[in-house]
Amino acid sequence: MSLSAAEEDSAQEIHLPADIDWEMLDKSKFFFLGAALFSGVSATLYPVVVLKTRQQIAQSQVSSIRTAFSIVRHEGFRALYRGFGTSLMGTIPARALYMTALEVTKSNVGTATVRLGFPEPTAAAIANAAAGLSAAMAAQLVWTPIDVVSQRLMVQGGGGGGGGGGCGPGEKLKIPNASSCKYLGGIDAFRKILNTDGPRGLYRGFGISILTYAPSNAVWWASYSVAQRLIWSGIGVYLCKKDDETGENGVSTFRPDSKTVMAVQGVSAAMAGGVSALITMPLDTIKTRLQVLDGEENGRRGPTIGQTVRNLVREGGWMACYRGLGPRWASMSMSATTMITTYEFLKRLSAKNQEALT
């Protein structure tokens, strides 16, 4: 793969490592190594997800630091990993579905758009957006039940206590209408939700999850593709290693090393993650409340989307929809950076023909 940038006196060409498509991958190695690598990423970022979830369902705005101190003080450090086992069990099949849908769609749509005559950058952006959309929709079949169970476990122990809606140094974060059930673990939570609400209880918020994650993934993958090209065409070109040779037509060739490529991928991923977090934050807050809280009006049936929005606005105006934005922005940016660098590294490890990548 190569990119070109026009200069005043001469042209510059960047030679990037070859792209790896679905047909070039050793599938067994891809899924086995992927499960191990992404489990490690999930373990690292899980406490940030817990903080985001607690903030989203709290009655008042509380800083991430105060929320973290309150959890550790009243519930212990292990509370930051409450529900992690359940989440990890869902990560492996969900990631497998996600990566399969992503790579198959990207390969097929990319080929189709090029054949239709789209320029290569436009074709890449369209293929990435379509791949992100289909991957998110496929993964939500597994992720929604896992989300419902793990989020119930995350907020368990965070309700009641400490009068008022605030969270002072000696107070617990107040959570409105959190499920009154006490769960002994993921399996117990799964059984109790299924017995109380039926299969629909496990897929509470499925529709809005699709509305949240499908556009978010489409925006993220398209933004990632565009951000990479902008960086390589701009300041990224000056960070590359310059070859000593200049072509016959006065073209200066740059061949970036693996560290530079990884750095550009990481920065591009963080930029795309921040944009996606900001755009989809209100939907994510509504989704989390739908999955975790019981409804005042409907009893155990859970609140509707309209009731959830009204409750949020009543508690803190429209800005209440952005509670937990800090942790979510950080989580999505860090997750995007680690995910994409891990993902690209995984694809290179899983390639059938290693010699063809240089």
Side-chain angles (χ1 to χ4, degrees):
M1 178 180 176
S2 66
L3 298 173
S4 298
E7 295 290 318
E8 291 182 2
D9 300 319
S10 62
Q12 296 176 334
E13 190 174 80
I14 309 169
H15 284 277
L16 302 180
D19 287 330
I20 304 170
D21 62 25
W22 181 246
E23 298 302 324
M24 297 169 64
L25 294 172
D26 180 332
K27 308 302 187 298
S28 59
K29 186 186 291 186
F30 182 66
F31 289 122
F32 178 76
L33 292 176
L37 289 172
F38 284 112
S39 294
V41 172
S42 298
T44 303
L45 298 175
Y46 194 78
V48 182
V49 178
V50 173
L51 292 179
K52 178 210 58 131
T53 302
R54 289 290 186 96
Q55 284 189 298
Q56 285 179 320
I57 64 171
Q59 283 184 314
S60 59
Q61 181 67 42
V62 184
S63 71
S64 304
I65 295 176
R66 293 178 70 184
T67 302
F69 275 119
S70 176
I71 292 172
V72 173
R73 179 185 178 89
H74 293 283
E75 304 167 51
F77 181 79
R78 290 181 63 183
L80 293 174
Y81 279 90
R82 188 173 285 148
F84 176 67
T86 302
S87 178
L88 188 61
M89 286 175 60
T91 294
I92 296 174
R95 286 290 184 191
L97 270 175
Y98 186 94
M99 292 188 294
T100 301
L102 182 76
E103 288 301 325
V104 171
T105 305
K106 190 191 297 184
S107 179
N108 291 334
V109 174
T111 302
T113 49
V114 169
R115 285 177 180 171
L116 289 172
F118 285 94
E120 198 274 332
T122 305
I126 293 172
N128 275 281
L133 189 72
S134 65
M137 294 178 70
Q140 281 309 306
L141 294 172
V142 176
W143 265 125
T144 298
I146 294 299
D147 256 356
V148 170
V149 173
S150 63
Q151 287 175 346
R152 291 289 183 101
L153 294 172
M154 283 180 200
V155 303
Q156 185 168 270
C167 182
E171 298 175 332
K172 296 174 73 175
L173 189 66
K174 187 175 180 183
I175 297 174
N177 306 318
S179 177
S180 57
C181 285
K182 294 299 179 185
Y183 306 115
L184 302 178
I187 296 176
D188 183 54
F190 181 89
R191 180 178 57 81
K192 286 179 177 176
I193 294 171
L194 196 60
N195 289 340
T196 303
D197 302 325
R200 289 182 62 182
L202 293 171
Y203 278 90
R204 186 187 283 186
F206 178 73
I208 200 166
S209 293
I210 293 293
L211 289 176
T212 300
Y213 292 121
S216 174
N217 270 262
V219 169
W220 190 91
W221 281 102
S223 300
Y224 172 69
S225 176
V226 172
Q228 271 206 100
R229 290 188 171 275
L230 288 175
I231 292 174
W232 284 122
S233 298
I235 60 173
V237 69
Y238 300 106
L239 300 177
C240 299
K241 263 200 229 170
K242 187 174 182 180
D243 288 344
D244 293 329
E245 297 181 0
T246 299
E248 297 177 0
N249 299 323
V251 178
S252 298
T253 303
F254 295 85
R255 197 176 299 276
D257 57 19
S258 58
K259 290 181 180 178
T260 304
V261 172
M262 186 175 293
V264 172
Q265 289 172 342
V267 172
S268 301
M271 290 168 60
V275 171
S276 295
L278 186 62
I279 292 173
T280 60
M281 186 67 209
L283 287 173
D284 188 67
T285 300
I286 296 168
K287 174 193 74 70
T288 300
R289 287 201 164 208
L290 284 172
Q291 292 176 331
V292 173
L293 304 183
D294 289 331
E296 293 175 343
E297 297 91 338
N298 300 329
R300 294 208 48 84
R301 200 157 49 87
T304 64
I305 293 176
Q307 290 166 358
T308 301
V309 173
R310 285 195 297 272
N311 289 339
L312 274 168
V313 174
R314 185 170 61 246
E315 290 169 15
W318 288 105
M319 287 305 295
C321 294
Y322 283 89
R323 284 180 188 157
L325 177 60
R328 187 164 190 256
W329 185 294
S331 175
M332 284 192 71
S333 295
M334 289 189 296
S335 176
T337 301
T338 53
M339 185 275 288
I340 201 63
T341 51
T342 302
Y343 188 65
E344 295 290 353
F345 178 63
L346 169 64
K347 287 171 68 175
R348 295 195 171 279
L349 285 179
S350 306
K352 295 176 183 176
N353 187 358
Q354 297 288 332
E355 289 77 13
L357 302 181
T358 56

